[in-house]
Amino acid sequence: MAEKMSPSPSGGITPLQQMLASGTGAILTSLFVTPLDVVKIRLQAQKTPFSKGNPARGRAGGCSQPPWRAAHGDCFLYCNGLMDHLYVCQNGNSCTAWYKAPTHFTGTLDAFVKITRYEGIRSLWSGLPPTLVMAVPATVIYFTAYDQLRDYLQAWTGSRSHYIPLLAGALARLGAVTVISPLELIRTKMQSRQLSYRELRVCIQSAVAQDGWLSLWRGWGPTVLRDVPFSALYWFNYELVRTWLCRQAWLDEATFMVSFTSGAISGTVAAVLTLPFDVVKTQRQIELGDSEVHPVAASKPSSTWLLMQRIRAESGTRGLFAGFLPRVIKVAPACAIMISTYEFGKSFFQKLNQERQLRGL
């Protein structure tokens, strides 16, 4: 059996094909999860609407409890299951798609029906463009890097140890976060200050001159503390669960449903175990948005350890695990859709390449 298999699970396809498969998965995942977050944000807006005279203050608690976090009524956090996006709104002016004076909603299903009926079905995807702009490149880098690193480590060590996916997942996520962090900061600056590209360049140059190049990676630490352990645990569990399910079903290769189930299970486990870091990262993103909207009044960002101590002092240990159910509900299907689509795409390209090789003989 080992002789018939490719040198790696992604063998037989090119990095470009891996990128196409992961990009497709990111788009499909965003299309599925975005309406869920739009509805949750609108339900929360109904309870605590934006207003110039009534600023709200965000509290830490995971990306979905509530699904947005206001900082002086000017920014909130939107999460699509793949990554988080900080929306910065000047006095609510740039948030009209999310914060229209809503019809009264009695629940999630009622919100879906009324938004579709009175605002059109397209309103359910009102947060999609910025999601695609950031999530697709980040996911492409992350998944392609993981496959390449895993294949390299397996070839280098000459084994398929279960710890290789753990290491490859951690390194891939570290690289993706490092590449995307400056882009996320730049996007936040453009959104908060309505800067032209020329003004943005001057703004970045002055920030670098004042605080050095590392200022472009503000918020990198908490993101790494959450995403790297999540990724390591996710890939470690995914490979284990997928192998076990294939063995139970007497399958040589994982089917779409095996990948889907493995992704959901491993995503749930990783989400639960890294929840305290998610709570801290949420708070740090709010502080980042706060500093962009109110640069004069903004205080120096707290360290990750001090933030954890503050949350524990205010809400107890349970505060570090706030948002447990909403995070699992969002992460599990997002991980399942993403990985199953990605594996399906890789399988498609693998068969396509094999057919081309046979035709060439």
Side-chain angles (χ1 to χ4, degrees), residues 32-157:
F32 175 79
V33 180
T34 295
L36 300 178
D37 225 55
V38 168
V39 167
K40 286 183 180 178
I41 289 169
R42 293 291 295 276
L43 285 168
Q44 187 63 33
Q46 178 175 275
K47 297 176 185 175
T48 317
F50 266 144
S51 68
K52 295 180 183 180
N54 182 31
R57 182 70 185 169
R59 57 187 172 82
C63 77
S64 298
Q65 191 183 359
W68 61 281
R69 293 280 180 270
H72 296 311
D74 293 311
C75 66
F76 65 91
L77 191 63
Y78 161 79
C79 312
N80 72 335
L82 289 176
M83 64 184 299
D84 309 336
H85 305 283
L86 189 71
Y87 278 80
V88 182
C89 314
Q90 291 289 14
N91 298 320
N93 293 336
S94 61
C95 295
T96 52
W98 303 87
Y99 289 96
K100 296 171 184 174
T103 311
H104 181 72
F105 305 128
T106 58
T108 302
L109 184 60
D110 184 58
F112 269 111
V113 173
K114 286 181 177 176
I115 290 172
T116 304
R117 182 182 298 168
Y118 298 117
E119 300 174 28
I121 197 167
R122 289 177 63 182
S123 292
L124 291 173
W125 283 272
S126 53
L128 191 59
T131 299
L132 296 179
V133 166
M134 295 302 298
V136 173
T139 307
V140 166
I141 293 169
Y142 172 44
F143 275 76
T144 306
Y146 168 75
D147 266 352
Q148 294 294 316
L149 281 167
R150 184 202 56 211
D151 295 352
Y152 172 78
L153 289 171
Q154 286 178 345
W156 184 55
T157 60

Side-chain angles (χ1 to χ4, degrees), residues 22-328:
S22 56
T24 303
I27 292 170
L28 290 176
T29 305
S30 298
L31 285 169
F32 175 79
V33 180
T34 295
L36 300 178
D37 225 55
V38 168
V39 167
K40 286 183 180 178
I41 289 169
R42 293 291 295 276
L43 285 168
Q44 187 63 33
Q46 178 175 275
K47 297 176 185 175
T48 317
F50 266 144
S51 68
K52 295 180 183 180
N54 182 31
R57 182 70 185 169
R59 57 187 172 82
C63 77
S64 298
Q65 191 183 359
W68 61 281
R69 293 280 180 270
H72 296 311
D74 293 311
C75 66
F76 65 91
L77 191 63
Y78 161 79
C79 312
N80 72 335
L82 289 176
M83 64 184 299
D84 309 336
H85 305 283
L86 189 71
Y87 278 80
V88 182
C89 314
Q90 291 289 14
N91 298 320
N93 293 336
S94 61
C95 295
T96 52
W98 303 87
Y99 289 96
K100 296 171 184 174
T103 311
H104 181 72
F105 305 128
T106 58
T108 302
L109 184 60
D110 184 58
F112 269 111
V113 173
K114 286 181 177 176
I115 290 172
T116 304
R117 182 182 298 168
Y118 298 117
E119 300 174 28
I121 197 167
R122 289 177 63 182
S123 292
L124 291 173
W125 283 272
S126 53
L128 191 59
T131 299
L132 296 179
V133 166
M134 295 302 298
V136 173
T139 307
V140 166
I141 293 169
Y142 172 44
F143 275 76
T144 306
Y146 168 75
D147 266 352
Q148 294 294 316
L149 281 167
R150 184 202 56 211
D151 295 352
Y152 172 78
L153 289 171
Q154 286 178 345
W156 184 55
T157 60
S159 73
R160 292 202 179 183
S161 167
H162 294 308
Y163 296 103
I164 287 178
L166 188 143
L167 179 59
L171 292 174
R173 195 62 179 176
L174 181 65
V177 167
T178 303
V179 171
I180 292 296
S181 280
L183 300 179
E184 181 71 12
L185 184 67
I186 289 167
R187 189 186 65 79
T188 303
K189 285 181 181 292
M190 288 188 73
Q191 196 177 41
S192 62
R193 303 184 196 176
Q194 302 295 311
L195 299 175
S196 67
Y197 286 104
R198 184 177 179 182
E199 290 169 331
L200 178 66
R201 182 167 54 83
V202 173
C203 178
I204 292 170
Q205 285 176 341
S206 64
V208 170
Q210 185 176 348
D211 302 317
W213 283 102
L214 289 178
S215 63
L216 295 178
W217 279 269
R218 283 175 57 200
W220 178 86
T223 305
V224 166
L225 275 175
R226 184 196 68 171
D227 288 6
V228 170
F230 178 92
S231 180
L233 289 167
Y234 172 78
W235 288 110
F236 176 76
N237 287 309
Y238 172 74
E239 299 288 359
L240 279 178
V241 172
R242 187 180 66 166
T243 302
W244 183 81
L245 288 175
C246 286
R247 194 176 297 136
Q248 294 300 309
W250 298 89
L251 294 170
D252 291 333
E253 293 182 3
T255 62
F256 182 88
M257 281 310 300
V258 166
S259 297
F260 188 93
T261 306
S262 303
I265 293 171
S266 54
T268 299
V269 172
V272 172
L273 293 178
T274 58
L275 190 56
F277 297 120
D278 181 61
V279 173
V280 171
K281 181 180 181 290
T282 299
Q283 187 61 42
R284 284 295 294 270
Q285 282 188 297
I286 295 161
E287 288 183 354
L288 177 61
D290 231 2
S291 67
E292 292 301 329
V293 178
H294 307 286
V296 177
S299 58
K300 186 178 179 181
S302 307
S303 71
T304 300
W305 176 244
L306 286 176
L307 266 176
M308 293 184 83
Q309 285 184 316
R310 192 174 78 196
I311 293 166
R312 192 167 183 270
E314 291 176 359
S315 311
T317 305
R318 289 182 65 182
L320 293 171
F321 290 89
F324 164 78
L325 191 59
R327 178 160 162 78
V328 169

